[in-house]
Amino acid sequence: MIYVRRSAAVVLFFILLLVLSAFGLLAFRDGQFDIIAAAFGIGACVLFVTLYNVAKTVFRHIDRYVLIICIFLTGIGFIMQYRLNPEYALRQIIMFAIGIVALFIAIAAVKKAGNFGKWNYIFMAGVLGLLLLSLLFARVIGGARNWVQILGMSMQPSEFAKVLFIVTAAYFFSNKNRIASILPFLLFSAACILVLVLSKDLGAAILYALTTLVMFFAGTGRALLTLAGMGILSAGAYASYRLFPHVKTRVDIWQNPWVAERTEGYQIVQALMAIASGSLFGMGLGLGSPASIPASYTDFIFAGLCEEFGIIAGVAVILFYLLFVLRGALIALNARTLFHQLLVFGCTAMLCLQCFVIIAGVIKMIPLTGITLPFISYGGSSMVSCMALVGIIEGVAVKNGEYDEKKIESIGGAVL
C-alpha cells in the first residue's frame, strides 16, 4: 500500500511537470509573455493537486491510479485546448471543476447505497426524458440533433443520461436470472437507442447499443443471444446508412476521402495529413497547424495531438486509456456483489468504447461518428459525465477497500 501511494505521487509529480512545461512554452510561443497561459497552467496544477489530496484524504481507499490517469488525460486536454482556443480551455477548466463535484457525489452515492432498488425505475424515466429532450428541443449540428440550450448554456442530455443508463443496466442484469425478467430493460434500451437514432445522434446510439451488449454478455453469459444482438445492431447500422444521407456520406468518405478532399472529405483528409506530418515525435507544441482541421478541439483533437506531440504521444494516450480499462477490470473483479461488478464494468466499457469509436474514426479505421474523446476533447457535458463515471468506479473501489480493512481487523481480533 505504501508503494502504491509513493508511486502514484511520483507519477502525479511528472504529470504536473509536463503540464507546467507545456504551458510555459505556450506562454512564450509568440515572443511575448502570455500571463494568462502561465496562470492557467498553474491553476490547472493546483486543481489537480487539490483533487488528488482531497480525494485520498476523504476516501482513503480510493484507487489512486484511476485518479492519476484521469488527471493525466485531462491535463493533455487542457494543453491542446489552450493551444487551439484559450477561451474554450477556460470554459473547460470550469466544467472540470464541476466534474470534480460530480465525482465526489458519485463516490458518496455508490459508497452509501446498495443497488438503488426501485430508484432504477425513476432513473429509467429520467434517461428517456433526457433523450426526448434532445429529440424535441435540441439544435441540429453536423446532422445530429443533440445540443440543448438551457439558461444560455449548451448541453448534451445524452451525456448525462448514460450515467443513469449504466446504473439501471447493472441493476437488471445482476438481479434477474431469466431472459423474460430482463426483457423490460432490453425494451427500455431499444427505446433509448430508437430515440437517439431519430435524433440522428448515431455516435451516442452506437455507444448505448454496444454497452448494452457487453453488459448483457457479462451479466448473463449468453453468447448466442449476444451474437444475435450484434446482428440486430448491424442491421440497424445498415438501415441508418440507407435512411440518413449524412450517414451514407460518412461511409462514402470513410471508403475514399480523397475523392471529396475539398468538400465532405476535408475533415478526415486534414486529420490524416496532420498525423502524417507529425511523424513519430511531432512538430512541437505551437509549431503545427491543428486549427486547420475542422472541429480540431472536439472530434479531431487526437489528430492535432499527434501532429504536435507525435504518433508516440498518441500511442501513449491510448496506453493510458488501456491502463484505465485494466484498473477498472481489477476493481470489478474485487467487488463483492454482482451489481457492483457490473456497475464498474459498464462504466469502464462505456469510456473504453467511446475512446475506440472516436480514435478509430479519426484514423479512418471505421466511419467517423461525432463523439468526444473522454477527458481530452472540449465539451462540458462530456467532462461532467466522464467524471461521474470515474466517481462510480472509485465508489466501488472505496467499498472494496473498506471491506478488506474490516476483514483484516476481524482476522486480527480473532487471532488475539
Side-chain angles (χ1 to χ4, degrees):
M1 181 61 71
I2 295 176
Y3 172 76
V4 170
R5 293 173 180 174
R6 288 179 179 175
S7 60
V10 170
V11 174
L12 177 61
F13 171 77
F14 282 107
I15 291 172
L16 297 176
L17 189 62
L18 169 66
V19 173
L20 287 173
S21 300
F23 276 97
L25 289 174
L26 291 173
F28 287 100
R29 62 176 169 172
D30 296 323
Q32 297 179 347
F33 181 66
D34 182 359
I35 191 171
I36 297 178
F40 188 99
I42 294 171
C45 289
V46 169
L47 198 56
F48 292 152
V49 172
T50 302
L51 167 60
Y52 179 79
N53 284 288
V54 171
K56 73 182 181 66
T57 302
V58 177
F59 304 103
R60 291 190 304 110
H61 300 289
I62 199 169
D63 189 298
R64 301 186 184 207
Y65 288 125
V66 168
L67 201 59
I68 290 294
I69 292 168
C70 172
I71 289 172
F72 169 77
L73 295 172
T74 303
I76 293 295
F78 285 162
I79 293 167
M80 289 305 302
Q81 287 155 25
Y82 197 95
R83 159 71 178 94
L84 292 164
N85 191 320
E87 181 181 349
Y88 286 169
L90 291 171
R91 294 180 190 175
Q92 189 75 348
I93 199 171
I94 294 172
M95 297 309 297
F96 178 66
I98 296 173
I100 291 174
V101 177
L103 179 139
F104 286 133
I105 291 174
I107 293 174
V110 172
K111 181 174 177 290
K112 295 295 183 181
N115 60 11
F116 296 98
K118 293 184 178 180
W119 278 93
N120 286 278
Y121 294 96
I122 299 175
F123 295 161
M124 292 167 72
V127 170
L128 280 175
L130 287 169
L131 297 182
L132 287 171
L133 184 66
S134 292
L135 177 62
L136 298 175
F137 302 106
R139 292 179 294 138
V140 177
I141 298 178
R145 187 183 297 275
N146 54 7
W147 289 94
V148 176
Q149 285 283 127
I150 298 178
L151 299 176
M153 298 179 61
S154 296
M155 58 167 284
Q156 286 183 286
S158 62
E159 288 289 337
F160 301 115
K162 68 186 184 184
V163 179
L164 298 179
F165 181 86
I166 291 173
V167 174
T168 305
Y171 169 75
F172 272 89
F173 292 141
S174 63
N175 287 281
K176 313 298 181 181
N177 298 319
R178 295 174 301 154
I179 296 299
S181 58
I182 302 175
L183 188 59
F185 175 79
L186 296 178
L187 294 174
F188 160 73
S189 177
C192 292
I193 296 167
L194 177 61
V195 172
L196 288 168
V197 170
L198 292 176
S199 302
K200 299 182 181 179
D201 190 359
L202 300 182
I206 290 172
L207 280 180
Y208 277 62
L210 290 176
T211 302
T212 299
L213 284 175
V214 296
M215 291 188 72
F216 174 83
F217 180 70
T220 66
R222 296 174 181 267
L224 291 178
L225 287 177
T226 304
L227 290 175
M230 287 295 296
I232 294 172
L233 176 60
S234 301
Y238 179 75
S240 298
Y241 170 79
R242 304 296 298 180
L243 292 172
F244 301 120
H246 77 286
V247 177
K248 187 177 187 305
T249 299
R250 289 190 177 185
V251 173
D252 293 340
I253 291 169
W254 168 62
Q255 292 176 330
N256 188 359
W258 305 99
V259 174
E261 60 177 304
R262 299 286 182 182
T263 54
E264 291 90 350
Y266 183 77
Q267 274 185 312
I268 191 67
V269 167
Q270 289 297 312
L272 294 173
M273 291 177 65
I275 294 172
S277 62
S279 189
L280 187 61
F281 297 107
M283 300 181 69
L285 182 61
L287 301 178
S289 303
S292 63
I293 310 171
S296 57
Y297 52 89
T298 53
D299 299 357
F300 285 89
I301 198 167
F302 184 77
L305 173 70
C306 290
E307 180 181 13
E308 300 216 327
F309 288 94
I311 295 175
I312 192 169
V315 172
V317 166
I318 293 172
L319 289 176
F320 267 86
Y321 282 121
L322 291 176
L323 285 173
F324 182 89
V325 173
L326 178 61
R327 295 305 302 182
L330 291 174
I331 294 170
L333 288 173
N334 289 328
R336 298 309 187 275
T337 67
L338 181 57
F339 170 74
H340 289 109
Q341 289 176 346
L342 289 175
L343 194 59
V344 175
F345 182 78
C347 293
T348 306
M350 176 71 80
L351 290 170
C352 173
L353 290 169
Q354 188 169 337
C355 296
F356 170 77
V357 169
I358 186 59
I359 292 177
V362 169
I363 64 176
K364 212 177 84 67
M365 182 183 295
I366 63 174
L368 182 70
T369 57
I371 58 177
T372 57
L373 184 60
F375 306 108
I376 295 180
S377 293
Y378 171 74
S381 302
S382 175
M383 176 61 76
V384 174
S385 66
C386 288
M387 292 294 284
L389 292 176
V390 172
I392 291 174
I393 295 171
E394 292 285 22
V396 177
V398 170
K399 289 180 76 75
N400 293 347
E402 289 179 347
Y403 179 88
D404 290 339
E405 187 176 57
K406 290 179 181 178
K407 187 176 180 179
I408 293 172
E409 290 176 352
S410 65
I411 293 175
V415 170
L416 291 174

